[in-house]
Amino acid sequence: MQRYFIDTAMTAAPGTTVTLTGEIAHHIVRVMRMAPKDKVELVFPHQQAYVAELTQTTPTVAARLIAQLSFNSELPVAVTIACGLSKKDKADWIVQKGTELGAQAFVFFASTYAIAKWDPKKQVKKLERLQKIARDAARQSHRLVVPEVRYQKNVTALCQLPKDQGVVAYEEAAKAGETAQLVQVTQQLKPGQRVIGVFGPEGGFAPQEVTQLNAAGFTTVGLGPRILRAETAPMYYLSALSTILELQTPVVQSAYSE
Amino acid sequence: MQRYFIDTAMTAAPGTTVTLTGEIAHHIVRVMRMAPKDKVELVFPHQQAYVAELTQTTPTVAARLIAQLSFNSELPVAVTIACGLSKKDKADWIVQKGTELGAQAFVFFASTYAIAKWDPKKQVKKLERLQKIARDAARQSHRLVVPEVRYQKNVTALCQLPKDQGVVAYEEAAKAGETAQLVQVTQQLKPGQRVIGVFGPEGGFAPQEVTQLNAAGFTTVGLGPRILRAETAPMYYLSALSTILELQTPVVQSAYSE
C-alpha cells in the first residue's frame, strides 16, 4: 500500500477526514490513478500511521482514517549519520540506503581531506534534493519518520550537536584490529537515546579531527577487518545497530562463539 | 599500497621474483607510474598476500617478494550472495558493495517475478563485467579473495548448490515480525563453512519459490522491521554476519539487552 507523510500537525483519530494536497494529491491522482475507496497509509507527525480510504479524488483529494497501524518500523534509538562531504551521487546513495536502514537524521560536514566542496549558494538546493530522497526512501521502506538532512561547516560544529552517545569509524582502528568497541557501546544504549555515528569523506579523516571527536566524547570503533568505502561504512554501522538492538540473541551460546 | 591479484598458482616465498604481465603491469606502469623500489601488495591463490618491491618496470615488470602479510581480511565463513535478477546497475552495486563486505561468491538467478531478464547471448559478457567489478572492489577493500560471479537459471538450480547452511530473506517474514532466526543460525556456523544467502529480485519471491527453498534447507530469516530494497538486503545480511562473527561480544550483558 502507498504510504504518504503528512507534515501538518493535527489530531488524527479513526473517522477523521483529511484533505490531501500538493505532491501527495498529485501522486494519488496522476501517478497512481487511484479512485474513491482505494486505500493508502498516512503517517502523521509523532510517528502515528493510519490506513485511510479515499472518499473523493475530485475536485480535491480527501481520505477518511480507518484504523491506526501499530507496527513500529523504527530503530529503538535515534541515529544520526554524519558523513564527510562526498561526491554527489554518494550523498544521494547514503541518504537513500541509510533511510531504508533506519537513520533518523543525516549530517554532511566539511572536513580537511574532503574531496568535494559544497558551494554555499547551492547548499539549500542540495539539502532540498537530499531531503526529497529521504522522503521517497522513507515511504518505500515503510518508515514512521522522514529523516532530516542538514549541513555542518566543520568537525567543531559536529562536536556540538546534542547526543547521548557518539561513535567515529576510523580506518586506522580497523587496521589495528579494533573489534570490541562497537558491540560494547551499542549494548549500552537505552531506548529513545540519541546516537551520532561519524564517518570520514573518501579522503579519510585528518588525525587531529579524530582527536577532536574523541575529546568531544565520540568513541573510535572498528567495523570489521575489511576496508570499507566512505558510503559503505554507514550502511555497515546501521545494519550492526539493527542486528544488536532489533534481532533476538538466543540465550544459549553456540559452539562458534565459545 | 596498491594490491594486485595473481591468478597463476606458484610457490610464493620471500625472495622469489615474480614477473607481472597484462592488466597488472599496465596498471603499475601506465596508471600508477611506479618505478623500481616502489612497493605493491601481491595476493596469490590460496589467500597468501605479500609485500613486494618492484625490481624493474621495463622492458617487463618484475617484483621481489619481501614479506608475507598475516592480516586476515576474510569473513570466517564462505558466503555466497544469491540474488534474483535485478536491473543492470543494481547487480553492479550488489557485487561492488558485497565484495567490500566480505562475500566470497555471487549468484544471479532467474525467478518468477524478476523484472530483468538476462539475454543468454549476453550472459558471458555480463558475468565478465561483474567479475571485473568484483576484482576491483576486492583490491580496494584489501580482500584476500576475488569473489566469483555466476548465473543460475532458476531456484531449482540454486537449491542444488553445495552448502553447509542456507538462509532466505523473505519480506513476508519481516512483516510478520520474525527476528530470531538470523542470529540463531549464524551463531551455529563454524569457521570455514559455506553459507548461501538468497535474496529475491525487485518484484520479490513467488510463494512457491520460498516453499521450494525451505524444502531444500534454506531457513527463512527476517532482517529487521523495515522494508529493504532488493540490493540493500544482502548488505544488511553481510554486515550482520560480520557483526555476529567478527566483532567481539562483551561477556557482561548490558542493561539494554536484559
Side-chain angles (χ1 to χ4, degrees):
Chain A
M1 206 181 297
Q2 290 293 315
R3 170 168 289 212
Y4 300 100
F5 291 93
I6 309 292
D7 290 325
T8 347
M10 58 170 286
T11 314
T16 310
T17 295
V18 185
T19 306
L20 301 167
T21 56
E23 276 182 31
I24 298 174
H26 174 82
H27 195 269
I28 286 173
V29 176
R30 301 284 165 205
V31 182
M32 299 304 297
R33 299 176 183 275
M34 289 190 214
K37 301 220 167 162
D38 281 346
K39 291 194 177 63
V40 294
E41 289 177 8
L42 300 179
V43 183
F44 296 90
H46 310 295
Q47 308 186 17
Q48 291 181 297
Y50 282 84
V51 173
E53 186 181 272
L54 294 179
T55 52
Q56 60 175 65
T57 53
T58 173
T60 55
V61 182
R64 190 175 50 242
L65 304 187
I66 298 175
Q68 191 169 357
L69 293 165
S70 62
F71 186 73
N72 184 356
S73 56
E74 295 301 314
L75 273 167
V77 292
V79 187
T80 296
I81 296 296
C83 294
L85 293 184
S86 290
K87 290 175 210 153
K88 185 180 150 190
D89 62 332
K90 297 213 171 186
D92 290 7
W93 191 87
I94 288 167
V95 169
Q96 186 191 70
K97 299 297 169 223
T99 299
E100 281 178 64
L101 291 166
Q104 286 214 359
F106 297 91
V107 172
F108 289 92
F109 63 93
S111 65
T112 314
Y113 296 162
I115 297 163
K117 304 267 175 227
W118 278 15
D119 180 345
K121 287 178 199 157
K122 293 188 183 153
Q123 246 178 57
V124 173
K125 277 222 161 167
K126 274 179 195 288
L127 289 175
E128 272 174 11
R129 176 191 156 74
L130 291 170
Q131 192 62 63
K132 184 177 181 318
I133 291 172
R135 176 169 289 260
D136 290 346
R139 285 181 44 196
Q140 148 108 19
S141 54
H142 285 231
R143 295 282 307 274
L144 294 175
V145 176
V146 178
E148 205 188 325
V149 187
R150 281 169 294 164
Y151 173 80
Q152 295 289 335
K153 65 180 182 219
N154 53 30
V155 168
T156 307
L158 196 61
C159 288
Q160 286 156 8
L161 296 177
K163 64 178 184 294
D164 297 301
Q165 181 181 100
V167 301
V168 50
Y170 189 35
E171 202 178 84
E172 299 304 321
K175 282 188 193 159
E178 196 299 296
T179 59
Q181 288 298 336
L182 181 62
V183 176
Q184 194 132 12
V185 298
T186 301
Q187 287 191 339
Q188 285 162 12
L189 286 169
K190 291 181 181 53
Q193 284 192 324
R194 295 158 304 176
V195 53
I196 304 179
V198 184
F199 303 86
E202 283 126 330
F205 283 114
Q208 72 269 24
E209 288 173 330
V210 177
T211 308
Q212 196 183 352
L213 285 161
N214 289 160
F218 289 85
T219 306
T220 300
V221 298
L223 304 176
R226 289 163 297 283
I227 310 288
L228 303 177
R229 283 174 210 241
E231 75 276 20
T232 314
M235 307 306 116
Y236 181 108
Y237 174 64
L238 286 165
S239 303
L241 285 196
S242 170
T243 302
I244 298 164
L245 299 177
E246 295 185 320
L247 301 187
Q248 286 168 49
T249 311
V251 176
V252 181
Q253 292 291 300
S254 73
Y256 186 88
S257 58
E258 266 159 17
Chain B
M1 206 180 296
Q2 290 293 317
R3 169 166 289 212
Y4 301 99
F5 291 93
I6 309 291
D7 290 326
T8 345
M10 59 171 284
T11 312
T16 311
T17 295
V18 185
T19 305
L20 301 166
T21 56
E23 276 180 32
I24 298 175
H26 175 81
H27 195 268
I28 286 174
V29 177
R30 302 284 165 206
V31 182
M32 299 305 297
R33 298 174 182 278
M34 288 190 214
K37 300 219 169 163
D38 281 346
K39 292 194 177 63
V40 294
E41 288 177 10
L42 300 179
V43 183
F44 296 88
H46 310 295
Q47 307 186 18
Q48 290 181 297
Y50 281 84
V51 173
E53 186 181 272
L54 295 179
T55 51
Q56 60 175 66
T57 53
T58 175
T60 55
V61 182
R64 190 174 51 243
L65 304 189
I66 299 176
Q68 189 168 0
L69 294 165
S70 61
F71 186 75
N72 184 355
S73 57
E74 295 302 313
L75 274 167
V77 291
V79 186
T80 296
I81 296 295
C83 294
L85 293 184
S86 290
K87 290 173 211 156
K88 183 181 150 191
D89 63 332
K90 297 213 171 188
D92 290 6
W93 191 88
I94 288 168
V95 169
Q96 186 191 70
K97 300 297 169 221
T99 299
E100 281 179 64
L101 292 165
Q104 287 212 1
F106 297 91
V107 172
F108 290 93
F109 62 92
S111 66
T112 313
Y113 295 162
I115 297 162
K117 303 268 177 229
W118 278 14
D119 180 346
K121 287 178 203 158
K122 292 188 184 154
Q123 246 177 59
V124 174
K125 279 221 160 172
K126 274 179 196 286
L127 289 175
E128 271 173 11
R129 176 191 156 75
L130 291 171
Q131 192 63 62
K132 183 177 182 319
I133 292 172
R135 176 170 288 260
D136 290 345
R139 284 183 44 196
Q140 147 108 21
S141 55
H142 285 231
R143 296 281 308 273
L144 294 175
V145 176
V146 178
E148 204 189 327
V149 187
R150 282 169 294 165
Y151 174 79
Q152 294 289 335
K153 65 181 183 215
N154 54 30
V155 168
T156 305
L158 196 60
C159 288
Q160 285 155 9
L161 295 178
K163 65 178 184 294
D164 296 301
Q165 182 182 99
V167 301
V168 51
Y170 188 35
E171 201 177 83
E172 300 302 321
K175 283 188 192 159
E178 196 298 295
T179 59
Q181 288 298 335
L182 181 61
V183 176
Q184 193 132 12
V185 296
T186 301
Q187 286 191 338
Q188 285 162 11
L189 286 169
K190 292 181 180 51
Q193 285 193 323
R194 297 159 302 175
V195 51
I196 304 178
V198 184
F199 302 87
E202 283 126 329
F205 283 114
Q208 71 270 22
E209 288 173 329
V210 177
T211 308
Q212 196 184 350
L213 285 161
N214 289 158
F218 290 85
T219 306
T220 300
V221 298
L223 303 176
R226 289 163 297 283
I227 309 289
L228 302 177
R229 284 174 209 241
E231 74 277 19
T232 314
M235 308 307 117
Y236 181 109
Y237 173 65
L238 286 164
S239 303
L241 285 196
S242 169
T243 302
I244 298 164
L245 300 177
E246 295 186 320
L247 302 188
Q248 286 169 49
T249 311
V251 175
V252 181
Q253 291 292 301
S254 72
Y256 186 90
S257 58
E258 267 159 17

